[in-house]
Amino acid sequence: MSPIHDLAPQLANARAFWLGYGAESRLEGDLTTYRSGLGSPSLNGVLRWTGSDFDDAHARAALEFAGVPWWWWVGPDSRADTADRLRAWGGKLAARQPIMAMDLDHANLPEPTAALTIVEVTDPATLREWVSTIAPVFGVPSRSIEARTALEFGREGDITRFAGTIDGRIVATASLFDAHGIAGVYTVATAEGFRRRGFGAAMTAAVMRAGRERGLKVATLQSSSAGEPVYLRMGFQQVAEYRIFTPPDADAKACRGSHRQ
């Protein structure tokens, strides 16, 4: 089996990344959930369900996420009939996100663009600016910048954040999440007015170089429809898919725009 088709560590990397945002609560078991408490559905959700009683599962989920927007991930690590049960419950399919992977040993990474200086985020002030840059892309309202910064600062896991700067201003972001022997690529975003210049690919490549320097063999990410062509051009392959559902009566349109890679 090609290493990129070994899904188990990639899915474990994704679960560990999102569980790191469970500042208010997290559950690991037949129902795996994380709750940040912030008003963004990507920061509160069910990551998988592997149990036998769906009525109990959705009742527990509704109780767990009372008062916050949330969504339900359905991937290869969930029961095969989860999506059907969610639809029967009244859940709505909000988005499909390809799970994409690349063999780092054979990756032909683009050279850094001279227009962009890429640095690691290591201090609180830079972290706040980094969060301010991702906020419009990931559906974080301006009133929540401080809370999201605190969430990032306090989250668990081996995460390295990168900032792409022009004239000292952060205009692009990305993160490396090192878990389960996998280089997880997350929070790839480019500020409005700086897109279509190859900065997203440059930030992704920076994460992959850092992962390769650590001896990691596979890079994985969950892509939006907008990001998918960029990653395909870089050499990523789709290996699976997440389907994201919103609970009954949730605003699927709002959820669809709140998580991009």
Side-chain angles (χ1 to χ4, degrees):
M1 177 192 296
S2 167
I4 70 169
H5 293 288
D6 184 4
L7 285 179
Q10 296 181 54
L11 298 171
N13 181 284
R15 290 195 303 272
F17 176 81
W18 292 106
L19 282 168
Y21 286 124
E24 287 194 349
S25 67
R26 71 188 84 181
L27 301 173
E28 295 186 69
D30 68 312
L31 188 71
T32 302
T33 70
Y34 64 104
R35 175 182 170 125
S36 71
L38 299 188
S40 174
S42 66
L43 295 176
N44 310 282
V46 175
L47 288 167
R48 67 173 175 177
W49 173 63
T50 59
S52 59
D53 186 341
F54 183 73
D55 288 340
D56 174 69
H58 75 64
R60 282 191 285 156
L63 183 62
E64 177 69 13
F65 300 117
V68 295
W70 60 285
W71 61 27
W72 193 310
W73 302 73
V74 180
D77 50 351
S78 287
R79 270 185 54 147
D81 62 348
T82 304
D84 292 338
R85 289 173 178 261
L86 282 165
R87 290 189 182 97
W89 175 44
K92 301 175 180 65
L93 179 65
R96 295 179 179 269
Q97 291 189 351
I99 301 171
M100 308 184 80
M102 188 189 295
D103 183 340
L104 287 176
D105 282 344
H106 300 97
N108 184 17
L109 301 180
E111 292 299 316
T113 172
L116 196 67
T117 300
I118 300 177
V119 298
E120 288 188 23
V121 176
T122 58
D123 63 273
T126 306
L127 179 60
R128 188 189 187 285
E129 184 184 357
W130 186 92
V131 169
S132 296
T133 303
I134 71 170
V137 180
F138 289 90
V140 179
S142 57
R143 66 180 181 275
S144 299
I145 294 296
E146 297 301 336
R148 178 62 189 266
T149 302
L151 182 66
E152 289 286 345
F153 189 77
R155 61 154 292 144
E156 296 180 0
D158 187 352
I159 185 167
T160 304
R161 300 175 187 85
F162 294 89
T165 68
I166 295 178
D167 296 328
R169 173 191 171 187
I170 297 177
V171 299
T173 66
S175 301
L176 166 65
F177 187 69
D178 181 348
H180 300 278
I182 298 292
V185 182
Y186 296 94
T187 55
V188 178
T190 304
E192 186 71 38
F194 294 89
R195 295 171 187 163
R196 297 180 177 83
R197 301 188 194 182
F199 292 168
M203 298 302 297
T204 301
V207 171
M208 295 168 68
R209 286 191 182 90
R212 190 157 61 185
E213 288 171 2
R214 292 183 177 213
L216 302 175
K217 301 299 184 182
V218 172
T220 188
L221 56 83
Q222 300 96 54
S223 175
S224 66
S225 57
E228 185 177 4
V230 175
Y231 299 126
L232 289 173
R233 287 195 296 269
M234 292 184 70
F236 278 90
Q237 297 180 46
Q238 181 174 347
V239 294
E241 180 184 68
Y242 281 113
R243 286 170 289 174
I244 294 176
F245 285 80
T246 58
D249 303 322
D251 185 346
K253 182 179 179 181
C255 292
R256 189 177 297 117
S258 65
H259 176 56
R260 300 187 180 93
Q261 283 283 28

